[in-house]
Amino acid sequence: MCASCSVGVNVYVAYPWEVMEVFEIVGGARLVGEVRVTGAKNSVLKLMAAALLAEGATTLREVPDILDVTYMAELLRRLGCVVERDVDARTLTIDVPEMPSHQADYDLVRKLRASINVLGPLLARCGEAHVALPGGDNIGSRGLDMHIDGLERLGASVRSEHGFLIATRTGRLHGAHVWLDFPSVGATENLLMAAVLAEGTTVIDNAAREPEIVDICTMLQSMGAQLGGVGSSTLTIEGVDSLSPTDHTTVPDRLVAGTWAVGVVMAGGEITIRNANAAHLAIVLDKLTDAGAHVDVTSDGFRVVGESRPRSVDVVTLPYPGFPTDLQPHFIAMNSIASGTAMVTENLFEARFRFVNEMVRLGADVRTDGHHALIRGRESLSGAPVEAADIRAGAGLVLAGLVASGTTTIYEPHHIDRGYEGFLPDLVRLGADVTRKVVSDSS
Ligand code: EPU
């Protein structure tokens, strides 16, 4: 339906909330060509928060042109930073004042959970941080207990009041030994960013060791932080009095690279993925090889060839270097058209299997029981309207749409835009039939 149209004498005017975008995919094309991956969303948002730790101008490079960066930049501006972004050059400069303000409000936090990452740096720099509680989201309940316990061990007082998490300190934070119950990415980052300016030595045991954590550690070291055990599950931090601004290049996005790799295995064809690190995807590429793909490491990335129908592969999500939960929907999509039966086990986010209902709409044979999904591969899927509930579910649905017969319409594609820069233009260049359309909501 058009945005405004007339029927007889009655004039119908569509209201803005009735107009929405969708992705429309006509399945069946092979994917052939080259793509270049930019910096990782799940790193750059934290690097932006880390910039708060030093007064002055920090420059970040390989910054992806995605909505989440826009939200984080807005948050930093509200904290008093001057943020300049050159989208073409993929750079972002954050000029941090001597004393940033310390409140992150709900209107931004609800759009960007990663806002919680300003908690540690603001507490360390300003002495207090008021960050709106983000609540749960479409992939699960998302606890903060380890962030809070860890900051308290460093000497902070943390309380929840009127929807805000309020962390304060009297005097400097002090070093402590923190054992995380689980290698939480967000808790490791917050504690790391608080501990770099604490007095004395902090040890974080059972720390997360994702490549994005290593990236933050590398940036913090270039700012003057004293860190040991980088890349291991025991991080040692010798607090320093102050840090200096820096110039840092964001680690490539392994999840975007992984998305392309699964896509070509499903659709068939050959993609060279540039600015990617195959080592960061070791378990994923190994699974794709088991599924029948050919993978070659190149000088700045890797090449994946998918020639025939993939074979089913079992997957169990775990913290790095285990299989990433963020590629779980992609593997459900792949297993849906693979030969054989696969079990996918999700150990991180309880609601991530909501996506399965959309796959069933496309004709997939998937049954879930608790945190297991049993997928019986079918010869084909059939295009249908489906809804993207989060970034990764959205990407999984795009991949499914590429191999489904007929047209798949993906509603709520703004979720995908939060994490994938130029996804559609890249797909089109590789040969896919995908368009972004504006439609009216008749519901
Ligand atoms: N958890 C707690 N208590 C805590 C911290 C975490 O119970 O104090 C639980 C969470 O509820 C969740 C699990 O531990 O069930 C994992 O949480 P973690 O802290 O490791 O994840 P996160 O920092 O919230 C980041 C990424 C996610 C990614 C996970 C796991 C960002 C912005 N987000 O989330 O990415 O799935 O690590 O690798 O870095 C995405 O990009 O689509 C995405 C969701």
Side-chain angles (χ1 to χ4, degrees), residues 96-153:
V96 181
E98 185 187 350
M99 189 48 68
S101 61
H102 57 255
Q103 179 151 320
D105 287 320
Y106 185 59
D107 65 325
L108 275 175
V109 173
R110 62 187 275 275
K111 289 187 188 143
L112 180 68
R113 265 200 66 92
S115 311
I116 198 68
N117 279 96
V118 300
L119 185 67
L122 287 182
L123 175 67
R125 266 306 293 296
C126 312
E128 64 184 307
H130 298 211
V131 181
L133 283 160
D137 63 11
N138 287 343
I139 62 173
S141 55
R142 323 284 300 259
L144 291 174
D145 49 304
M146 287 181 262
H147 300 239
I148 296 167
D149 292 350
L151 292 175
E152 284 176 342
R153 289 223 177 205

CSV table of all heavy atoms in Angstrom, one decimal, residues 96-153:
chain,number,residue,atom,x,y,z
A,96,VAL,N,37.5,13.7,25.3
A,96,VAL,CA,36.9,13.5,26.6
A,96,VAL,C,37.3,14.7,27.5
A,96,VAL,O,38.5,15.0,27.6
A,96,VAL,CB,37.4,12.2,27.2
A,96,VAL,CG1,36.8,11.9,28.6
A,96,VAL,CG2,37.1,11.0,26.3
A,97,PRO,N,36.3,15.3,28.2
A,97,PRO,CA,36.6,16.4,29.1
A,97,PRO,C,37.4,15.9,30.3
A,97,PRO,O,37.4,14.7,30.6
A,97,PRO,CB,35.3,17.0,29.5
A,97,PRO,CG,34.3,15.9,29.3
A,97,PRO,CD,34.9,15.0,28.3
A,98,GLU,N,37.9,16.9,31.1
A,98,GLU,CA,38.6,16.6,32.3
A,98,GLU,C,37.7,15.8,33.3
A,98,GLU,O,38.1,14.8,33.8
A,98,GLU,CB,39.1,17.9,33.0
A,98,GLU,CG,39.9,17.6,34.2
A,98,GLU,CD,40.2,18.9,35.0
A,98,GLU,OE1,39.9,20.0,34.4
A,98,GLU,OE2,40.7,18.8,36.1
A,99,MET,N,36.4,16.2,33.4
A,99,MET,CA,35.5,15.5,34.2
A,99,MET,C,34.2,15.3,33.5
A,99,MET,O,33.3,16.1,33.4
A,99,MET,CB,35.3,16.3,35.5
A,99,MET,CG,34.5,15.6,36.6
A,99,MET,SD,35.1,13.9,36.9
A,99,MET,CE,36.7,14.2,37.7
A,100,PRO,N,34.0,14.1,32.9
A,100,PRO,CA,32.8,13.8,32.2
A,100,PRO,C,31.6,13.8,33.2
A,100,PRO,O,31.8,13.6,34.4
A,100,PRO,CB,33.0,12.4,31.6
A,100,PRO,CG,34.4,12.0,31.8
A,100,PRO,CD,34.9,12.9,32.9
A,101,SER,N,30.4,14.0,32.7
A,101,SER,CA,29.3,13.8,33.6
A,101,SER,C,29.0,12.3,33.7
A,101,SER,O,29.7,11.5,33.0
A,101,SER,CB,28.0,14.5,33.1
A,101,SER,OG,27.6,14.0,31.8
A,102,HIS,N,28.2,11.9,34.7
A,102,HIS,CA,28.2,10.5,35.0
A,102,HIS,C,26.9,9.7,34.9
A,102,HIS,O,26.7,8.7,35.4
A,102,HIS,CB,28.7,10.3,36.5
A,102,HIS,CG,27.9,11.1,37.5
A,102,HIS,ND1,28.3,12.3,38.0
A,102,HIS,CD2,26.7,10.9,37.9
A,102,HIS,CE1,27.4,12.7,38.8
A,102,HIS,NE2,26.4,11.9,38.8
A,103,GLN,N,25.9,10.3,34.1
A,103,GLN,CA,24.6,9.7,34.1
A,103,GLN,C,24.3,9.2,32.7
A,103,GLN,O,24.3,10.0,31.7
A,103,GLN,CB,23.6,10.7,34.6
A,103,GLN,CG,22.2,10.1,34.5
A,103,GLN,CD,21.3,10.7,35.6
A,103,GLN,OE1,21.7,10.9,36.7
A,103,GLN,NE2,20.0,10.9,35.2
A,104,ALA,N,23.9,7.9,32.5
A,104,ALA,CA,23.5,7.4,31.3
A,104,ALA,C,22.0,7.1,31.4
A,104,ALA,O,21.6,6.2,32.2
A,104,ALA,CB,24.3,6.1,30.9
A,105,ASP,N,21.1,7.8,30.7
A,105,ASP,CA,19.7,7.7,30.8
A,105,ASP,C,19.1,6.5,30.1
A,105,ASP,O,19.6,6.0,29.1
A,105,ASP,CB,19.0,9.0,30.4
A,105,ASP,CG,19.3,10.1,31.5
A,105,ASP,OD1,19.3,9.8,32.7
A,105,ASP,OD2,19.6,11.2,31.1
A,106,TYR,N,17.9,6.2,30.5
A,106,TYR,CA,17.2,5.0,30.0
A,106,TYR,C,16.9,5.1,28.5
A,106,TYR,O,16.9,4.1,27.8
A,106,TYR,CB,15.9,4.8,30.8
A,106,TYR,CG,15.1,3.5,30.4
A,106,TYR,CD1,15.7,2.3,30.5
A,106,TYR,CD2,13.8,3.6,29.9
A,106,TYR,CE1,15.1,1.1,30.2
A,106,TYR,CE2,13.2,2.4,29.6
A,106,TYR,CZ,13.8,1.2,29.7
A,106,TYR,OH,13.1,0.1,29.3
A,107,ASP,N,16.6,6.3,28.0
A,107,ASP,CA,16.2,6.4,26.6
A,107,ASP,C,17.3,5.9,25.7
A,107,ASP,O,17.0,5.3,24.6
A,107,ASP,CB,15.8,7.9,26.2
A,107,ASP,CG,16.9,8.8,26.3
A,107,ASP,OD1,17.8,8.7,27.3
A,107,ASP,OD2,17.0,9.8,25.6
A,108,LEU,N,18.5,6.1,26.1
A,108,LEU,CA,19.6,5.5,25.2
A,108,LEU,C,20.0,4.1,25.6
A,108,LEU,O,20.2,3.2,24.8
A,108,LEU,CB,20.9,6.4,25.3
A,108,LEU,CG,20.9,7.6,24.3
A,108,LEU,CD1,22.1,8.4,24.6
A,108,LEU,CD2,20.9,7.1,22.9
A,109,VAL,N,20.0,3.8,26.9
A,109,VAL,CA,20.4,2.5,27.4
A,109,VAL,C,19.4,1.4,26.9
A,109,VAL,O,19.8,0.3,26.5
A,109,VAL,CB,20.4,2.5,29.0
A,109,VAL,CG1,20.6,1.1,29.5
A,109,VAL,CG2,21.5,3.4,29.5
A,110,ARG,N,18.1,1.8,26.8
A,110,ARG,CA,17.2,0.8,26.3
A,110,ARG,C,17.5,0.4,24.8
A,110,ARG,O,17.1,-0.6,24.3
A,110,ARG,CB,15.7,1.2,26.5
A,110,ARG,CG,15.3,2.5,25.7
A,110,ARG,CD,14.0,2.9,26.1
A,110,ARG,NE,12.9,2.2,25.3
A,110,ARG,CZ,12.5,2.6,24.1
A,110,ARG,NH1,13.1,3.7,23.6
A,110,ARG,NH2,11.6,2.0,23.5
A,111,LYS,N,18.1,1.4,24.1
A,111,LYS,CA,18.4,1.1,22.7
A,111,LYS,C,19.7,0.3,22.5
A,111,LYS,O,19.9,-0.3,21.6
A,111,LYS,CB,18.5,2.4,21.9
A,111,LYS,CG,17.3,3.2,21.7
A,111,LYS,CD,17.5,4.3,20.8
A,111,LYS,CE,16.3,5.3,20.7
A,111,LYS,NZ,16.7,6.7,20.6
A,112,LEU,N,20.5,0.5,23.5
A,112,LEU,CA,21.9,-0.1,23.4
A,112,LEU,C,22.3,-0.6,24.7
A,112,LEU,O,22.8,0.1,25.6
A,112,LEU,CB,22.8,1.1,23.0
A,112,LEU,CG,24.3,0.7,22.8
A,112,LEU,CD1,24.5,-0.2,21.6
A,112,LEU,CD2,25.2,1.9,22.7
A,113,ARG,N,22.2,-1.9,24.9
A,113,ARG,CA,22.6,-2.6,26.1
A,113,ARG,C,24.1,-2.3,26.5
A,113,ARG,O,24.4,-2.3,27.7
A,113,ARG,CB,22.4,-4.1,26.0
A,113,ARG,CG,21.1,-4.6,26.5
A,113,ARG,CD,21.2,-6.1,26.8
A,113,ARG,NE,22.2,-6.3,27.9
A,113,ARG,CZ,21.8,-6.4,29.1
A,113,ARG,NH1,20.6,-6.3,29.5
A,113,ARG,NH2,22.7,-6.6,30.1
A,114,ALA,N,24.9,-2.2,25.5
A,114,ALA,CA,26.3,-2.0,25.7
A,114,ALA,C,26.6,-0.7,26.4
A,114,ALA,O,27.7,-0.5,26.9
A,114,ALA,CB,27.1,-2.1,24.4
A,115,SER,N,25.6,0.1,26.6
A,115,SER,CA,25.7,1.3,27.5
A,115,SER,C,26.2,1.0,28.8
A,115,SER,O,26.9,1.8,29.5
A,115,SER,CB,24.4,2.1,27.7
A,115,SER,OG,23.7,2.3,26.5
A,116,ILE,N,25.9,-0.2,29.3
A,116,ILE,CA,26.4,-0.7,30.6
A,116,ILE,C,27.9,-0.6,30.7
A,116,ILE,O,28.4,-0.5,31.8
A,116,ILE,CB,25.8,-2.1,31.0
A,116,ILE,CG1,25.8,-2.3,32.5
A,116,ILE,CG2,26.5,-3.2,30.2
A,116,ILE,CD1,24.9,-1.5,33.3
A,117,ASN,N,28.5,-0.6,29.6
A,117,ASN,CA,30.0,-0.6,29.6
A,117,ASN,C,30.6,0.7,30.0
A,117,ASN,O,31.8,0.8,30.2
A,117,ASN,CB,30.6,-1.0,28.2
A,117,ASN,CG,30.6,-2.5,28.1
A,117,ASN,OD1,29.7,-3.0,27.5
A,117,ASN,ND2,31.6,-3.1,28.6
A,118,VAL,N,29.8,1.8,30.2
A,118,VAL,CA,30.3,3.0,30.7
A,118,VAL,C,30.4,3.0,32.2
A,118,VAL,O,31.0,3.9,32.8
A,118,VAL,CB,29.6,4.3,30.2
A,118,VAL,CG1,29.6,4.4,28.7
A,118,VAL,CG2,28.1,4.3,30.7
A,119,LEU,N,29.8,2.0,32.8
A,119,LEU,CA,29.8,1.9,34.3
A,119,LEU,C,31.2,1.9,34.9
A,119,LEU,O,31.5,2.7,35.8
A,119,LEU,CB,29.0,0.7,34.7
A,119,LEU,CG,28.7,0.4,36.2
A,119,LEU,CD1,27.8,1.5,36.8
A,119,LEU,CD2,28.1,-1.0,36.5
A,120,GLY,N,32.0,1.0,34.5
A,120,GLY,CA,33.4,0.9,35.0
A,120,GLY,C,34.2,2.1,34.8
A,120,GLY,O,34.8,2.7,35.7
A,121,PRO,N,34.3,2.6,33.5
A,121,PRO,CA,35.1,3.8,33.3
A,121,PRO,C,34.6,5.0,34.0
A,121,PRO,O,35.4,5.8,34.6
A,121,PRO,CB,35.0,4.0,31.8
A,121,PRO,CG,34.5,2.7,31.2
A,121,PRO,CD,33.8,1.9,32.3
A,122,LEU,N,33.3,5.2,34.1
A,122,LEU,CA,32.8,6.4,34.8
A,122,LEU,C,33.1,6.4,36.2
A,122,LEU,O,33.5,7.4,36.9
A,122,LEU,CB,31.3,6.6,34.5
A,122,LEU,CG,30.9,7.1,33.1
A,122,LEU,CD1,29.3,7.2,33.1
A,122,LEU,CD2,31.5,8.4,32.7
A,123,LEU,N,32.9,5.2,36.8
A,123,LEU,CA,33.2,5.0,38.2
A,123,LEU,C,34.6,5.3,38.5
A,123,LEU,O,35.0,6.1,39.5
A,123,LEU,CB,32.8,3.6,38.7
A,123,LEU,CG,33.2,3.2,40.1
A,123,LEU,CD1,32.3,4.0,41.1
A,123,LEU,CD2,33.0,1.7,40.4
A,124,ALA,N,35.5,4.8,37.7
A,124,ALA,CA,37.0,5.0,37.9
A,124,ALA,C,37.3,6.5,37.7
A,124,ALA,O,38.1,7.0,38.5
A,124,ALA,CB,37.7,4.1,36.9
A,125,ARG,N,36.8,7.1,36.7
A,125,ARG,CA,37.2,8.5,36.3
A,125,ARG,C,36.5,9.5,37.2
A,125,ARG,O,37.1,10.5,37.7
A,125,ARG,CB,36.8,8.8,34.9
A,125,ARG,CG,37.8,8.6,33.8
A,125,ARG,CD,39.1,9.3,33.9
A,125,ARG,NE,39.2,10.8,33.9
A,125,ARG,CZ,38.9,11.5,32.9
A,125,ARG,NH1,38.4,11.0,31.7
A,125,ARG,NH2,39.0,12.8,33.0
A,126,CYS,N,35.1,9.4,37.4
A,126,CYS,CA,34.3,10.4,38.0
A,126,CYS,C,34.1,10.2,39.5
A,126,CYS,O,33.5,11.0,40.2
A,126,CYS,CB,33.0,10.6,37.3
A,126,CYS,SG,33.1,10.7,35.6
A,127,GLY,N,34.2,8.9,40.0
A,127,GLY,CA,33.9,8.6,41.4
A,127,GLY,C,32.5,8.1,41.5
A,127,GLY,O,32.1,7.6,42.5
A,128,GLU,N,31.7,8.4,40.5
A,128,GLU,CA,30.3,7.8,40.5
A,128,GLU,C,29.8,7.6,39.1
A,128,GLU,O,30.2,8.3,38.2
A,128,GLU,CB,29.3,8.6,41.4
A,128,GLU,CG,29.0,10.0,40.9
A,128,GLU,CD,28.1,10.7,41.9
A,128,GLU,OE1,27.1,10.2,42.2
A,128,GLU,OE2,28.5,11.8,42.2
A,129,ALA,N,28.9,6.7,39.0
A,129,ALA,CA,28.2,6.4,37.7
A,129,ALA,C,26.8,6.0,38.0
A,129,ALA,O,26.5,5.2,38.9
A,129,ALA,CB,28.9,5.2,37.0
A,130,HIS,N,25.9,6.7,37.2
A,130,HIS,CA,24.4,6.4,37.3
A,130,HIS,C,24.1,5.8,35.9
A,130,HIS,O,24.0,6.6,35.0
A,130,HIS,CB,23.6,7.6,37.6
A,130,HIS,CG,23.9,8.2,38.9
A,130,HIS,ND1,23.0,8.9,39.7
A,130,HIS,CD2,25.1,8.3,39.7
A,130,HIS,CE1,23.6,9.4,40.8
A,130,HIS,NE2,24.8,9.0,40.8
A,131,VAL,N,23.8,4.6,35.8
A,131,VAL,CA,23.5,4.0,34.5
A,131,VAL,C,22.2,3.3,34.6
A,131,VAL,O,21.9,2.5,35.5
A,131,VAL,CB,24.6,3.0,34.1
A,131,VAL,CG1,24.3,2.4,32.7
A,131,VAL,CG2,26.0,3.6,34.0
A,132,ALA,N,21.3,3.7,33.7
A,132,ALA,CA,19.9,3.1,33.7
A,132,ALA,C,20.0,1.6,33.6
A,132,ALA,O,20.9,1.1,32.8
A,132,ALA,CB,19.1,3.7,32.6
A,133,LEU,N,19.2,0.9,34.3
A,133,LEU,CA,19.2,-0.6,34.2
A,133,LEU,C,18.6,-1.0,32.8
A,133,LEU,O,17.5,-0.5,32.5
A,133,LEU,CB,18.4,-1.2,35.3
A,133,LEU,CG,19.1,-1.2,36.7
A,133,LEU,CD1,18.1,-1.4,37.8
A,133,LEU,CD2,20.2,-2.3,36.7
A,134,PRO,N,19.4,-1.8,32.1
A,134,PRO,CA,18.9,-2.1,30.7
A,134,PRO,C,17.7,-3.0,30.7
A,134,PRO,O,17.0,-3.1,29.7
A,134,PRO,CB,20.1,-2.7,30.0
A,134,PRO,CG,21.1,-3.0,31.1
A,134,PRO,CD,20.7,-2.3,32.4
A,135,GLY,N,17.5,-3.8,31.7
A,135,GLY,CA,16.4,-4.8,31.7
A,135,GLY,C,16.8,-6.0,30.7
A,135,GLY,O,17.9,-6.1,30.2
A,136,GLY,N,15.8,-6.8,30.5
A,136,GLY,CA,16.0,-8.0,29.6
A,136,GLY,C,15.9,-7.5,28.2
A,136,GLY,O,15.6,-6.4,27.9
A,137,ASP,N,16.1,-8.4,27.2
A,137,ASP,CA,15.8,-8.1,25.8
A,137,ASP,C,15.4,-9.4,25.1
A,137,ASP,O,15.0,-10.4,25.7
A,137,ASP,CB,17.0,-7.4,25.2
A,137,ASP,CG,18.2,-8.3,25.1
A,137,ASP,OD1,18.1,-9.5,25.4
A,137,ASP,OD2,19.3,-7.8,24.8
A,138,ASN,N,15.3,-9.3,23.8
A,138,ASN,CA,14.8,-10.4,23.0
A,138,ASN,C,15.6,-11.7,23.1
A,138,ASN,O,15.1,-12.7,22.5
A,138,ASN,CB,14.6,-10.0,21.6
A,138,ASN,CG,13.4,-9.0,21.4
A,138,ASN,OD1,12.6,-8.9,22.3
A,138,ASN,ND2,13.4,-8.3,20.3
A,139,ILE,N,16.8,-11.7,23.6
A,139,ILE,CA,17.5,-12.9,23.7
A,139,ILE,C,17.6,-13.5,25.1
A,139,ILE,O,18.2,-14.5,25.3
A,139,ILE,CB,18.9,-12.8,23.0
A,139,ILE,CG1,19.8,-11.8,23.7
A,139,ILE,CG2,18.8,-12.5,21.5
A,139,ILE,CD1,21.2,-11.8,23.2
A,140,GLY,N,17.1,-12.7,26.1
A,140,GLY,CA,17.1,-13.3,27.4
A,140,GLY,C,17.2,-12.3,28.5
A,140,GLY,O,17.0,-11.1,28.3
A,141,SER,N,17.4,-12.8,29.8
A,141,SER,CA,17.3,-11.9,30.9
A,141,SER,C,18.5,-11.0,31.2
A,141,SER,O,18.3,-10.0,31.8
A,141,SER,CB,17.0,-12.8,32.2
A,141,SER,OG,18.0,-13.8,32.3
A,142,ARG,N,19.7,-11.4,30.8
A,142,ARG,CA,20.9,-10.6,30.9
A,142,ARG,C,21.2,-10.0,32.3
A,142,ARG,O,20.9,-8.8,32.6
A,142,ARG,CB,20.8,-9.4,29.9
A,142,ARG,CG,20.1,-9.7,28.6
A,142,ARG,CD,21.0,-10.4,27.6
A,142,ARG,NE,22.2,-9.9,27.2
A,142,ARG,CZ,22.5,-9.2,26.1
A,142,ARG,NH1,21.5,-9.0,25.2
A,142,ARG,NH2,23.6,-8.8,25.8
A,143,GLY,N,21.7,-10.8,33.2
A,143,GLY,CA,22.0,-10.4,34.5
A,143,GLY,C,23.2,-9.5,34.6
A,143,GLY,O,24.0,-9.3,33.6
A,144,LEU,N,23.3,-8.8,35.7
A,144,LEU,CA,24.4,-7.9,36.0
A,144,LEU,C,25.1,-8.2,37.3
A,144,LEU,O,26.0,-7.4,37.7
A,144,LEU,CB,23.9,-6.4,36.0
A,144,LEU,CG,23.4,-5.8,34.7
A,144,LEU,CD1,22.8,-4.4,34.9
A,144,LEU,CD2,24.6,-5.8,33.7
A,145,ASP,N,24.8,-9.3,37.9
A,145,ASP,CA,25.3,-9.6,39.3
A,145,ASP,C,26.8,-9.6,39.3
A,145,ASP,O,27.5,-9.2,40.2
A,145,ASP,CB,24.7,-10.9,39.8
A,145,ASP,CG,24.8,-12.0,38.7
A,145,ASP,OD1,24.3,-11.8,37.6
A,145,ASP,OD2,25.4,-13.1,39.0
A,146,MET,N,27.4,-10.2,38.3
A,146,MET,CA,28.9,-10.3,38.3
A,146,MET,C,29.6,-8.9,38.1
A,146,MET,O,30.7,-8.7,38.7
A,146,MET,CB,29.4,-11.2,37.2
A,146,MET,CG,29.1,-12.7,37.5
A,146,MET,SD,29.7,-13.7,36.2
A,146,MET,CE,28.2,-14.0,35.3
A,147,HIS,N,28.9,-8.0,37.4
A,147,HIS,CA,29.5,-6.6,37.3
A,147,HIS,C,29.5,-6.0,38.7
A,147,HIS,O,30.4,-5.4,39.1
A,147,HIS,CB,28.6,-5.8,36.4
A,147,HIS,CG,28.4,-6.2,35.0
A,147,HIS,ND1,28.8,-5.5,33.9
A,147,HIS,CD2,27.9,-7.4,34.4
A,147,HIS,CE1,28.5,-6.1,32.8
A,147,HIS,NE2,27.9,-7.3,33.1
A,148,ILE,N,28.3,-6.2,39.3
A,148,ILE,CA,28.1,-5.5,40.6
A,148,ILE,C,29.0,-6.1,41.7
A,148,ILE,O,29.8,-5.4,42.4
A,148,ILE,CB,26.6,-5.6,41.1
A,148,ILE,CG1,25.7,-4.9,40.1
A,148,ILE,CG2,26.4,-5.1,42.5
A,148,ILE,CD1,24.3,-5.2,40.2
A,149,ASP,N,29.1,-7.5,41.8
A,149,ASP,CA,29.9,-8.1,42.8
A,149,ASP,C,31.4,-7.7,42.6
A,149,ASP,O,32.1,-7.4,43.6
A,149,ASP,CB,29.8,-9.6,42.7
A,149,ASP,CG,28.5,-10.1,43.1
A,149,ASP,OD1,27.7,-9.3,43.7
A,149,ASP,OD2,28.2,-11.3,42.9
A,150,GLY,N,31.8,-7.7,41.3
A,150,GLY,CA,33.2,-7.4,41.0
A,150,GLY,C,33.6,-5.9,41.4
A,150,GLY,O,34.6,-5.7,42.1
A,151,LEU,N,32.7,-5.0,41.1
A,151,LEU,CA,32.9,-3.6,41.4
A,151,LEU,C,33.0,-3.4,43.0
A,151,LEU,O,33.8,-2.6,43.5
A,151,LEU,CB,31.9,-2.7,40.8
A,151,LEU,CG,32.0,-2.6,39.3
A,151,LEU,CD1,30.9,-1.7,38.7
A,151,LEU,CD2,33.4,-2.0,38.8
A,152,GLU,N,32.1,-4.1,43.7
A,152,GLU,CA,32.1,-4.0,45.1
A,152,GLU,C,33.4,-4.6,45.7
A,152,GLU,O,34.0,-4.0,46.6
A,152,GLU,CB,30.9,-4.8,45.7
A,152,GLU,CG,29.6,-4.0,45.5
A,152,GLU,CD,28.3,-4.7,46.0
A,152,GLU,OE1,28.4,-6.0,46.1
A,152,GLU,OE2,27.3,-4.0,46.1
A,153,ARG,N,33.9,-5.6,45.1
A,153,ARG,CA,35.2,-6.1,45.5
A,153,ARG,C,36.3,-5.1,45.4
A,153,ARG,O,37.3,-5.1,46.1
A,153,ARG,CB,35.6,-7.4,44.7
A,153,ARG,CG,34.8,-8.5,45.1
A,153,ARG,CD,35.6,-9.8,45.2
A,153,ARG,NE,34.7,-10.9,45.7
A,153,ARG,CZ,35.1,-11.9,46.3
A,153,ARG,NH1,36.4,-12.1,46.6
A,153,ARG,NH2,34.3,-12.8,46.6
